[in-house]
């Protein structure tokens, strides 16, 4: 984590006064590693954090660990001498900047052959270190001449440390992430030549590794089969990329797990506009629809209400658009495919009222025109501010509590090009329907304006807090995009960081807190943009992508996944919890983080792909990974956090599964 790097550098390298005059405040006398932590503290090997803590049970990344090990065995002038040349560092390692606080320590470790880095010439400084990796660095640092010819590369290092009684008895596996307390224990024993304490051997760790920790195991306790997919429509495809083969897609489960719906797709054999598809609830298939518009997007968009009592999907056919709600067709609207994609139906979060735009009826000359009405429950509301005619799924109407809703609106028409001349340079044609400006509006259920943002040239996307008090939107003029936030004061504020631009805002459940994904432009040294997460005055490390982010219910914790190369890391607050590297030719990703109501348990889905083919998915609960199946959806914890349920696809069967968390 970047914040960990910066704070660690500040207190270990430059602030000898921090936590140096007494024991750490978070290390009680009965902590299993209290004696070792006091040993390394009293000798200046570690100094702790600025608030007087040590965080003995936190993991430690490779940069921090290398710094401490090098500092415990090397003189400062030797470390400083390495930084003068940096030859090894720049020749062999590509992800350690010369000006990084940990660079001289990694340089010394490379020069002394404590470390050699990974095969792709990276050191991965932000990656939490595991027992196997740590044993190699410690063994080379303290014993220098270590031969390693065993086919299990880390066995000689584990054996050597075991011979010197330097492996703490609370280590359970070779790939276990090392804690700061365990690191202190290993250093203290070697530094003091103390071989009197209990220690584990390679064989003992291997035996323990075969038995998963019972406190984190989970067992299936319930399974309900909801649908069986006909073999004609297998496989599942989330993006309809099956080369015109029949398939099924857009699977949704009701929140209580009692219902499932999906869409079966056949290549269109009647017209060139779309594909034939059918909505299926359980094992009951409805009428086939020829489809209109973009054949890769118009697939019904099935959706359940939050209480699971309502199910809706959209249909475009025969130049009409309509929504089917609980099996009943709603009002039919004239629809032209040239007007763009109609929005998907949604439900308000508290009153379970359906919400969707009524599409434009026509688009003269193939141009986009405005949407002027919206359906909320049983009412059709005439919009005082029209919405753009082409509605993307991401920029559709956003239902809020209290039957309110938000959407992107347009200002006056530019029939005589008044107020629009500044746009001329960005468009090859200038139709009369071109709007002057766009902005975000919040309306109530009777079409009264609650609030609107300042008008801009174009709103490319927006996010709104659950209570509607804060709105973040991106405005674009030509190729330039800027991000603006308007909170309860209604004053627009540009969002930017010193080293990058805000790429994506993520509101906490109440909207009191906001996390931001920040994009750092590519430089001559990085080739591609980098991203980090900023929240509550903290920052993550820099990665190729920040992918999934979620807050717990009381907003005290945040979980996210980050990608560097092909490896995905899972973080809880500022600590790495797991990392996943795919097999050759595969791609791994994390989906759908979820906390239990207490915020103690964290679950997420891990999926693996080869090209565009989904290989398998599994559920992880508190770091324990379950069985691999074809696909997993929508994990939901029980109110007491003792079990978790989720939708599963396996062997052509859609089921709702419940497992007990121990």
């Amino acid at each position: 984590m970047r914040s960990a790097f910066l704070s660690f550098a500040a207190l270990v390298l430059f602030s000898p006064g921090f936590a140096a005059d007494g024991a750490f405040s978070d290390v009680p006398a009965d902590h299993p590693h209290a004696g070792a932590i006091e040993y390394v503290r009293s000798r200046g090997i570690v100094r702790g954090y600025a608030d007087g803590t040590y965080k003995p049970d936190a993991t430690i990344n490779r940069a921090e660990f290398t710094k401490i090990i090098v500092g415990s065995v090397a003189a400062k002038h030797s470390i400083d001498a390495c930084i003068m040349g940096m030859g090894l560092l720049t020749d062999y390692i590509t992800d350690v900047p010369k000006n990084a606080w940990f660079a001289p320590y990694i340089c010394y470790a490379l020069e002394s052959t404590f470390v050699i880095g990974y095969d792709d010439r990276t050191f991965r400084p932000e990656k939490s270190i595991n027992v196997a990796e740590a044993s190699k660095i410690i063994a080379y640092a303290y014993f220098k001449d270590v031969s390693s010819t065993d086919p299990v590369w880390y066995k000689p290092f584990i054996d050597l440390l075991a011979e010197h009684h330097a492996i703490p008895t609370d280590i359970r596996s070779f790939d276990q992430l090392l804690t700061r307390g365990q690191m202190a224990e290993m250093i203290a024993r070697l530094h003091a030549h103390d071989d009197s304490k209990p220690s584990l051997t390679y064989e003992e760790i291997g035996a323990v590794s075969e038995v998963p920790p019972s406190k984190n195991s989970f067992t299936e306790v319930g399974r309900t089969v909801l649908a069986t997919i006909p073999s004609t429509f297998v496989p599942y495809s989330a993006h309809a990329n099956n080369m015109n083969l029949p398939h099924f897609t857009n699977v949704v489960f009701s929140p209580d797990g009692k219902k499932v719906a999906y869409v079966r797709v056949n290549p269109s054999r009647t017209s060139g506009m779309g594909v034939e598809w059918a909505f299926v609830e359980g094992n009951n298939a409805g009428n086939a629809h020829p489809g209109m518009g973009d054949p890769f997007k118009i697939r019904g968009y099935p959706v359940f209400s939050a209480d699971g009592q309502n199910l809706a999907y959209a249909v475009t056919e025969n130049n009409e658009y309509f929504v089917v709600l609980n099996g009943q067709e709603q009002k039919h609207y004239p629809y032209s495919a040239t007007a763009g994609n109609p929005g998907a139906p949604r439900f308000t979060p508290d009153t379970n009222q359906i919400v969707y735009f009524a599409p434009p009826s026509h688009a003269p000359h193939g141009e986009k025109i405005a949407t002027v009405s919206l359906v909320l429950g049983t009412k059709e509301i005439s919009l005082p501010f029209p919405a753009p005619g082409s509605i993307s799924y991401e920029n559709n109407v956003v239902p809020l509590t209290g039957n309110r809703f938000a959407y992107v609106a347009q200002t006056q028409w530019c029939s005589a090009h008044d107020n629009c001349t500044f746009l001329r340079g960005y468009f090859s044609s200038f139709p009369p329907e071109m709007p002057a400006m766009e902005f975000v509006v919040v309306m109530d259920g009777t079409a009264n304006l609650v609030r609107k943002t300042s008008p801009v040239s174009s709103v490319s996307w927006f996010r709104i807090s659950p209570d509607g008090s804060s709105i973040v939107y991106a405005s674009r003029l030509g190729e330039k995009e800027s991000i603006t936030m308007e909170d309860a004061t209604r004053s627009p504020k540009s969002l930017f960081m010193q080293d990058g631009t805000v790429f994506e805002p993520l509101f906490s459940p109440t909207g009191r807190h906001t996390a931001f994904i920040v994009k750092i432009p590519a430089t001559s040294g990085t080739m591609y943009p980098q991203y980090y997460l900023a929240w509550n005055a903290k920052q993550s490390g820099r990665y190729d992508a920040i992918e999934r982010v979620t807050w717990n219910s009381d907003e005290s914790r945040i979980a996210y996944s980050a990608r560097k190369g092909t490896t995905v890391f899972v973080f809880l607050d500022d600590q790495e919890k797991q990392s996943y590297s795919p097999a050759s030719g595969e791609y791994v990703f994390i989906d759908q983080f979820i906390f239990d109501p207490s915020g103690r348990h964290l679950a997420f889905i891990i999926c693996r792909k080869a090209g565009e083919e989904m290989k398998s998915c599994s559920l992880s609960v508190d770091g324990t990974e379950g069985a691999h199946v074809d696909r997993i959806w929508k994990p939901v914890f029980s109110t007491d956090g003792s079990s978790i349920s989720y939708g599963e696809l396996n062997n052509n069967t859609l089921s709702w599964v419940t497992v007990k968390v121990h």
Side-chain angles (χ1 to χ4, degrees):
M1 306 292 294
R2 187 180 181 200
S3 59
F5 288 172
L6 295 175
S7 62
F8 195 91
L11 38 88
V12 176
L13 295 177
F14 307 121
S15 301
F18 285 142
D21 298 327
F24 297 118
S25 61
D26 63 341
V27 182
D30 60 353
H31 190 281
H33 305 302
I37 293 170
E38 174 57 22
Y39 179 94
V40 294
R41 183 204 66 80
S42 64
R43 284 155 180 80
I45 298 173
V46 300
R47 297 186 184 278
Y49 291 88
D51 60 359
T53 63
Y54 178 73
K55 301 181 182 178
D57 300 318
T59 57
I60 184 167
N61 64 43
R62 288 169 54 83
E64 295 171 335
F65 181 82
T66 302
K67 185 271 165 192
I68 292 174
I69 295 300
V70 169
S72 71
V73 299
K76 187 176 184 301
H77 66 83
S78 298
I79 301 170
D80 292 340
C82 185
I83 201 172
M84 299 301 293
M86 285 290 189
L88 280 173
L89 189 62
T90 55
D91 288 345
Y92 295 105
I93 299 297
T94 61
D95 63 343
V96 177
K98 288 183 179 181
N99 60 350
W101 66 263
F102 47 83
Y105 300 93
I106 294 175
C107 178
Y108 183 91
L110 285 167
E111 191 175 69
S112 304
T113 66
F114 297 177
V115 298
I116 58 173
Y118 291 93
D119 292 341
D120 60 358
R121 296 180 60 204
T122 62
F123 183 76
R124 303 177 193 175
E126 77 292 330
K127 184 178 183 291
S128 292
I129 197 164
N130 63 33
V131 170
E133 294 172 326
S135 68
K136 178 180 179 180
I137 295 175
I138 293 177
Y140 273 125
Y142 277 86
F143 301 102
K144 310 298 183 186
D145 185 19
V146 185
S147 59
S148 178
T149 58
D150 196 285
V152 181
W153 66 265
Y154 50 83
K155 186 177 184 299
F157 310 117
I158 296 290
D159 286 341
L160 182 59
L161 296 181
E163 180 183 339
H164 291 80
H165 287 237
I167 300 180
T169 57
D170 57 350
I171 285 175
R172 289 291 178 267
S173 66
F174 302 113
D175 61 356
Q176 173 183 329
L177 298 181
L178 196 72
T179 69
R180 291 167 57 81
Q182 291 165 340
M183 173 198 68
E185 189 71 47
M186 298 171 81
I187 293 174
R189 295 186 187 188
L190 293 173
H191 198 272
H193 305 286
D194 183 359
D195 59 2
S196 64
K197 293 182 171 60
S199 177
L200 296 176
T201 64
Y202 175 88
E203 290 73 22
E204 287 171 332
I205 298 175
V208 171
S209 299
E210 295 173 3
V211 183
S214 60
K215 67 176 183 178
N216 282 333
S217 64
F218 51 94
T219 307
E220 183 177 316
V221 294
R223 176 180 292 268
T224 303
V225 175
L226 299 175
T228 301
I229 311 299
S231 57
T232 305
F233 293 97
V234 175
Y236 171 81
S237 171
H239 304 289
N241 46 20
N242 293 77
M243 304 299 292
N244 289 326
L245 296 176
H247 63 281
F248 73 105
T249 186
N250 289 359
V251 175
V252 291
F253 289 85
S254 62
D256 58 7
K258 295 181 179 180
K259 302 174 186 176
V260 68
Y262 66 96
V263 171
R264 293 179 187 169
V265 182
N266 260 331
S268 176
R269 293 184 294 269
T270 57
S271 69
M273 281 302 298
V275 296
E276 183 180 273
W277 61 273
F279 174 79
V280 184
E281 183 176 356
N283 287 315
N284 301 314
N287 296 329
H289 303 287
M292 291 178 62
D294 187 339
F296 296 101
K297 293 182 179 178
I298 307 303
R299 293 287 156 70
Y301 295 127
V303 59
F304 280 100
S305 59
D307 63 1
Q309 300 302 306
N310 302 293
L311 173 61
Y313 63 96
V315 178
T316 53
E317 65 179 10
N318 301 324
N319 294 317
E320 290 185 327
Y321 169 89
F322 59 93
V323 168
V324 179
L325 175 61
N326 298 329
Q328 300 297 313
E329 292 184 8
Q330 306 299 294
K331 180 179 177 179
H332 287 224
Y333 294 90
Y335 173 69
S336 168
T338 60
N341 294 320
R346 297 181 177 180
F347 289 96
T348 55
D350 54 347
T351 60
N352 299 295
Q353 297 285 305
I354 194 166
V355 182
Y356 59 93
F357 283 120
S361 58
H362 68 286
H365 313 299
E367 297 151 1
K368 304 295 185 290
I369 65 172
T371 296
V372 295
S373 61
L374 175 140
V375 175
L376 175 61
T378 59
K379 297 184 297 183
E380 183 174 319
I381 297 173
S382 183
L383 299 174
F385 303 101
S390 181
I391 306 297
S392 68
Y393 185 82
E394 295 79 9
N395 233 18
N396 194 8
V397 60
V398 176
L400 303 171
T401 57
N403 281 350
R404 297 173 302 157
F405 56 92
Y407 69 98
V408 176
Q410 296 175 338
T411 59
Q412 61 188 343
W413 302 112
C414 300
S415 56
H417 298 170
D418 293 336
N419 303 319
C420 300
T421 54
F422 73 98
L423 291 171
R424 283 176 179 269
Y426 297 96
F427 299 95
S428 57
S429 63
F430 204 84
E433 293 81 7
M434 181 63 67
M437 304 289 270
E438 293 183 353
F439 51 95
V440 180
V441 296
V442 179
M443 312 290 296
D444 68 15
T446 57
N448 292 316
L449 178 66
V450 176
R451 67 175 297 183
K452 67 184 183 73
T453 62
S454 302
V456 293
S457 58
S458 174
V459 176
S460 51
W461 56 260
F462 77 96
R463 302 291 184 269
I464 186 166
S465 61
D467 62 358
S469 63
S470 296
I471 303 174
V472 177
Y473 56 91
S475 57
R476 181 178 292 277
L477 184 61
E479 295 299 318
K480 184 178 180 181
E481 184 175 75
S482 59
I483 312 296
T484 303
M485 182 172 186
E486 296 189 19
D487 58 18
T489 65
R490 312 292 174 92
S491 299
K493 178 176 65 175
S494 294
L495 294 179
F496 65 92
M497 308 294 279
Q498 289 184 338
D499 52 359
T501 59
V502 171
F503 181 71
E504 177 81 9
L506 303 121
F507 289 105
S508 63
T510 66
R512 293 197 308 266
H513 304 284
T514 310
F516 296 99
I517 298 175
V518 181
K519 179 180 179 180
I520 305 170
T523 65
S524 58
T526 59
M527 186 178 294
Y528 298 107
Q530 295 284 291
Y531 300 85
Y532 66 85
L533 186 70
W535 78 101
N536 294 349
K538 297 181 179 180
Q539 290 184 13
S540 74
R542 298 183 180 187
Y543 295 90
D544 298 335
I546 303 292
E547 296 181 329
R548 295 287 180 178
V549 184
T550 192
W551 297 81
N552 70 341
S553 57
D554 68 2
E555 307 178 0
S556 62
R557 313 189 78 181
I558 193 169
Y560 63 97
S561 61
R563 180 177 301 279
K564 178 162 286 190
T566 59
T567 301
V568 177
F569 304 90
V570 175
F571 291 92
L572 180 57
D573 300 321
D574 56 356
Q575 295 181 22
E576 180 188 329
K577 305 304 291 185
Q578 283 90 36
S579 63
Y580 301 91
S581 296
S584 177
E586 292 189 355
Y587 176 83
V588 62
F589 64 94
I590 305 297
D591 196 11
Q592 298 188 24
F593 278 119
I594 182 173
F595 284 97
D596 79 314
S598 71
R600 295 193 308 269
H601 299 296
L602 175 67
F604 53 87
I605 299 168
I606 313 152
C607 292
R608 297 160 180 85
K609 296 173 67 176
E612 293 298 330
E613 180 186 357
M614 187 73 74
K615 302 293 289 186
S616 67
C617 293
S618 56
L619 180 71
S620 174
V621 182
D622 294 341
T624 296
E625 188 175 347
H628 289 216
V629 297
D630 294 337
R631 193 67 192 261
I632 292 176
W633 289 269
K634 201 178 177 64
V636 180
F637 273 104
S638 60
T639 54
D640 63 358
S642 64
S643 65
I644 187 170
S645 301
Y646 55 91
E648 177 191 281
L649 169 66
N650 206 33
N651 298 323
N652 302 358
T653 300
L654 289 166
S655 304
W656 188 253
V657 180
T658 300
V659 297
K660 191 168 184 62
V661 180
H662 300 287

